[in-house]
Amino acid sequence: MKDQEFIDIVLGDDESLAALLETIVDQKREELGTHAVYVQEVISTYGKGFTVILEIRRSSY
């Protein structure tokens, strides 16, 4: 089963989008206890704002 999670972020002046995405994915993986968390899409919204769509694959046993 696949779930999606939408996260709105705003980059600071000295922040890297790639580094911030890596941090978000790492935190979500740790929180859920799975490595099946991926960035599905990044949508620019305004200025330095973005909506990040995470894909989370959950195994059903």
Side-chain angles (χ1 to χ4, degrees):
M1 174 170 41
K2 281 197 291 189
D3 292 330
Q4 290 180 321
E5 185 170 326
F6 294 75
I7 302 171
D8 291 321
I9 60 171
V10 177
L11 286 181
D13 289 334
D14 295 331
E15 284 186 299
S16 159
L17 179 58
L20 186 54
L21 292 173
E22 183 176 5
T23 299
I24 290 170
V25 169
D26 288 345
Q27 287 175 349
K28 187 56 69 174
R29 285 176 173 170
E30 186 174 323
E31 176 185 316
L32 298 174
T34 180
H35 285 282
V37 177
Y38 309 96
V39 174
Q40 181 177 346
E41 193 165 346
V42 178
I43 303 164
S44 178
T45 53
Y46 57 90
K48 293 186 178 187
F50 297 89
T51 296
V52 178
I53 304 173
L54 295 180
E55 179 180 302
I56 303 166
R57 295 188 184 181
R58 300 181 190 270
S59 299
S60 56
Y61 296 99

